[in-house]
Amino acid sequence: MTGVLAEGAVAGGSPEATSARGSAGTTDSTVTPRDASTSISIDASTSTSSATGITSAVGADTSTASASATATGMDMGMGIGVGTATPTGTATPTGTATPTGMGTPTGMGTPTGMGTPNGTATPTGMGIGVDTATAAGVGIGADPAMRTQPQSAQAKPHPAQTRPEIQTQRERQRQSQTRSQSQAQTETETHTEAQTQRRTEAQTQSQTESQSQIEAEARAALMRAADVGDPIMGRLVMQYGAPTAVEAIRARALPPEFATQEAERAREAQQGRAPDLVARLNAWHARLVAANPAADLEAGEKSGARLIIPGSPEWPTQLDQLGAGRPLGLWLHGTADLRFSCLKSVAVVGARAATSYGTHIAAEFGVGLSESGWTVVSGGAYGVDGAAHRGALAGDSPTVVVLACGVDVCYPAGHDTLFAAARGQGVVVSECPPGVHPTRARFLIRNRLIAALSRGTVVVEAALRSGALNTVAHALSLNRHLGAVPGPITSNMSAGCHKLLRERKAVCVTSPEEMIDLVGVIGDDLASQTRAPAVPRDKLNETTRKVLDAIPSRGGAGPASIAVAAGVSLDTALSALGGLAAAGYIERTTNGWRLHKQTASYRKAPDSAILEPPPTPEPDPTDDPPFPDDDFRP
């Protein structure tokens, strides 16, 4: 049913109409007094009421219904039918706005103007008011309503908020509060997780440190119980671990499968008899009872030494190639990092009773390797070892001294100053516990560490029976590079080097650059190729060289005879003679042409003569011959 509202001003209307509140509660709305404009608000909804009517109200300034949407000015608002009608569809205002949803009315919409309804039926679908219509709907339209109110008399929005705005603001507050709670909960959970992770890491680190301490004490005890380089002890530790090995030795009961494996290994190696494990176990037990690993660690720490074991950050992984002969641990005393120092290292070994030639060459190798960034590894003995260490200390690179005794024992005693300097620029290494003195067997077993720690070994001087050749054997078994310095064939101290060269087990090296070329990276550490120094005669072309060879050094010869002797034509000989004379090779005498006399001089060749000369282009036959130098001889 459609209702029409007649335009007109209502006399006697209240200048300020007050909105009536519904039973469910409404929002007050106030407009400008004496507003004579007319607006239309149409709500098309479906009602369950049996009567449908038209309500027409003419009010002065304000018409209020129990709604939460307000239309003010030129905007026609949406309303919901008065009564208990429930909209079942989409209400379309008479303008261009289409609401997107409808809400259930919360109260009875009652126009408060002075208009008189045209019927007695309850309006269920349309509410018509003047100026402002407020309905308890959710849909909001943008329906333009023509107004006759002047621009100066337009109503200003009241600070009071309508129900949708309040609900929207409350919803935003709830969302903001929810986000804040969620963020706070997330931060709390993150903080809790971080604390849990830190506690877990701390516990893990504590457990790791505890296990490392137990492992270090067990290996320190075994280093006292077994001889250095004992392969049986090495296999026992590799198979069962150091703590288990200590417990087995204390109980005097090795694992049965281990004894079976050792017997089978002895049969495969075709040894005369299997090792007596019972006797060895008794010896280990007697030494282990007297060992005090905690005291060894404390004494080493007081002296400035430290114990590293396999798995430590400073442990050189190349020692793992020793297999069962890998040391149980290493005692270090010095400032350098052993692992980083051995990444680029060369072992320089030789005879203790070295000649002056041997010590000189060893010192040159030490200086050259150290200045090139390579570490020198040696045994710290007299002769070649000491000279190599001193040469290395003259450079900037560290040096590694491998001892056959404890790091707190100075052997030989005359090298106390050298070892002190090595601790300041390098590191002193030993697999013997503190306080252990050297023996002959420990020197030979020590040599395997020298070979294993370095990329290659160079033998400066070695007799046929020399401890340096024992280091050579270890280097060859580990597939390390091996170099040998040749010496006088009359020197017995070089006989071992010459034998290695003759058997092609070693490469001949005569300088530190050649040793670096042997053990270094291909393309980066290549040594320069040495060549003979070039002389001006080498730049002569073949024809000019033939003419020069045909000229006598004494007397003289004519152009014709020179041309016949050189096997060239006369014109070619004359052209070559002119160029050779201008260059100073020959001179003209009354008897003909002869070689130019040179004053005798025996200047020392410059140091650059041994270096590779720049490449010389092929001489052009048409060019004049170069001038000879003072050392030219026919």
Side-chain angles (χ1 to χ4, degrees):
M1 183 176 295
T2 306
V4 179
L5 176 65
E7 294 184 4
V10 179
S14 175
E16 295 181 358
T18 305
S19 300
R21 302 179 180 270
S23 59
T26 59
T27 303
D28 295 339
S29 177
T30 305
V31 297
T32 305
R34 294 181 295 278
D35 189 358
S37 62
T38 303
S39 62
I40 300 174
S41 174
I42 300 175
D43 185 6
S45 59
T46 303
S47 172
T48 59
S49 177
S50 59
T52 303
I54 300 175
T55 300
S56 177
V58 178
D61 300 332
T62 305
S63 175
T64 304
S66 56
S68 59
T70 304
T72 305
M74 294 182 66
D75 188 8
M76 177 177 291
M78 289 300 302
I80 296 179
V82 180
T84 59
T86 303
T88 60
T90 303
T92 305
T94 58
T96 59
T98 302
T100 59
M102 300 300 295
T104 303
T106 60
M108 300 296 292
T110 305
T112 61
M114 296 184 66
T116 302
N118 293 332
T120 59
T122 302
T124 58
M126 295 185 182
I128 301 174
V130 178
D131 195 22
T132 303
T134 304
V138 181
I140 301 175
D143 187 9
M146 297 303 296
R147 296 174 56 93
T148 60
Q149 181 181 0
Q151 183 176 2
S152 60
Q154 290 182 358
K156 298 181 179 179
H158 194 272
Q161 297 177 339
T162 60
R163 183 176 300 276
E165 293 176 351
I166 295 177
Q167 292 178 353
T168 303
Q169 185 176 3
R170 291 177 179 176
E171 184 67 23
R172 291 176 180 174
Q173 291 178 355
R174 285 195 298 270
Q175 293 178 358
S176 177
Q177 185 178 3
T178 302
R179 285 195 299 268
S180 301
Q181 293 177 355
S182 177
Q183 184 177 1
Q185 184 178 1
T186 303
E187 292 178 355
T188 303
E189 293 177 354
T190 304
H191 183 66
T192 304
E193 292 178 358
Q195 290 182 343
T196 304
Q197 185 177 1
R198 285 194 295 268
R199 286 195 298 268
T200 303
E201 291 177 355
Q203 292 176 359
T204 304
Q205 184 177 2
S206 177
Q207 292 177 359
T208 303
E209 292 178 354
S210 177
Q211 293 176 358
S212 300
Q213 184 68 18
I214 295 174
E215 183 74 14
E217 290 186 0
R219 288 182 176 269
L222 295 178
M223 292 170 70
R224 287 284 186 181
D227 295 330
V228 292
D230 190 345
I232 298 179
M233 176 61 75
R235 286 190 289 268
L236 179 63
V237 173
M238 290 176 61
Q239 189 171 353
Y240 299 98
T244 304
V246 170
E247 295 298 330
I249 294 173
R250 287 175 178 172
R252 292 190 181 185
L254 294 176
E257 60 273 11
F258 180 76
T260 304
Q261 293 174 1
E262 289 298 319
E264 184 178 356
R265 183 177 288 105
R267 288 194 300 270
E268 292 178 355
Q270 296 181 356
Q271 297 178 355
R273 58 194 179 104
D276 191 354
L277 295 181
V278 176
R280 185 161 300 191
L281 181 59
N282 292 333
W284 291 346
H285 182 268
R287 296 174 182 175
L288 186 62
V289 170
N292 189 353
D296 289 342
L297 294 175
E298 184 179 358
E301 184 177 358
K302 288 182 180 180
S303 63
R306 58 190 182 275
L307 176 65
I308 63 172
I309 60 176
S312 300
E314 201 174 350
W315 181 264
T317 55
Q318 59 265 35
L319 292 178
D320 299 340
Q321 298 181 4
L322 294 174
R326 184 183 68 176
L328 298 174
L330 291 176
W331 289 91
L332 309 181
H333 193 185
T335 58
D337 187 283
L338 181 61
R339 181 179 181 182
F340 291 149
S341 300
C342 294
L343 293 178
K344 295 176 60 177
S345 58
V346 174
V348 182
V349 298
R352 290 195 298 269
T355 63
S356 57
Y357 166 78
T359 55
H360 175 74
I361 296 300
E364 282 191 350
F365 269 79
V367 173
L369 291 171
S370 181
E371 290 180 348
S372 299
W374 288 76
T375 301
V376 174
V377 182
S378 193
Y382 288 130
V384 172
D385 292 2
H389 288 305
R390 292 188 182 93
L393 292 173
D396 298 330
S397 299
T399 183
V400 177
V401 182
V402 184
L403 301 179
C405 55
V407 293
D408 57 342
V409 177
C410 184
Y411 184 87
H415 279 175
D416 54 347
T417 305
L418 176 63
F419 292 166
R423 293 187 188 99
Q425 187 172 332
V427 60
V428 178
V429 182
S430 177
E431 59 180 326
C432 298
V436 174
H437 292 274
T439 61
R440 182 179 179 85
R442 288 173 183 157
F443 277 112
L444 297 178
I445 298 174
R446 178 271 317 264
N447 292 336
R448 81 191 194 285
L449 298 182
I450 298 177
L453 288 174
S454 57
R455 284 192 180 183
T457 302
V458 56
V459 186
V460 178
E461 272 191 339
L464 292 178
R465 288 182 57 86
S466 175
L469 298 182
N470 179 258
T471 307
V472 168
H474 289 295
L476 293 176
S477 64
L478 295 172
N479 294 324
R480 297 289 198 272
H481 296 285
L482 182 61
V485 179
I489 59 175
T490 57
S491 175
N492 292 331
M493 289 292 101
S494 297
C497 299
H498 297 160
K499 181 181 180 182
L500 293 175
L501 295 174
R502 184 171 180 270
E503 295 176 351
R504 299 182 179 180
K505 294 181 179 179
V507 177
C508 179
V509 292
T510 60
S511 65
E513 292 77 15
E514 292 181 356
M515 189 62 198
I516 294 175
D517 179 58
L518 178 62
V519 300
V521 180
I522 296 177
D524 293 341
D525 301 317
L526 293 177
S528 58
Q529 298 292 331
T530 57
R531 295 181 181 178
V535 296
R537 185 185 179 96
D538 298 335
K539 299 180 180 181
L540 298 176
N541 57 56
E542 185 178 359
T543 302
T544 305
R545 194 180 297 113
K546 287 181 179 180
V547 174
L548 182 61
D549 291 340
I551 299 174
S553 59
R554 295 179 181 178
S561 59
I562 292 175
V564 173
V568 298
S569 62
L570 181 60
D571 295 339
T572 303
L574 290 174
S575 177
L577 289 173
L580 290 173
Y585 285 91
I586 60 177
E587 60 184 358
R588 189 180 182 87
T589 64
T590 56
N591 297 329
W593 295 97
R594 70 175 184 183
L595 297 178
H596 182 73
K597 292 183 178 180
Q598 303 288 341
T599 58
S601 67
Y602 300 94
R603 295 177 305 176
K604 181 179 179 181
D607 296 338
S608 60
I610 62 174
L611 301 179
E612 180 181 1
T616 56
E618 189 68 22
D620 189 354
T622 61
D623 293 342
D624 293 333
F627 290 90
D629 56 4
D630 295 339
D631 293 336
F632 171 74
R633 292 290 182 273

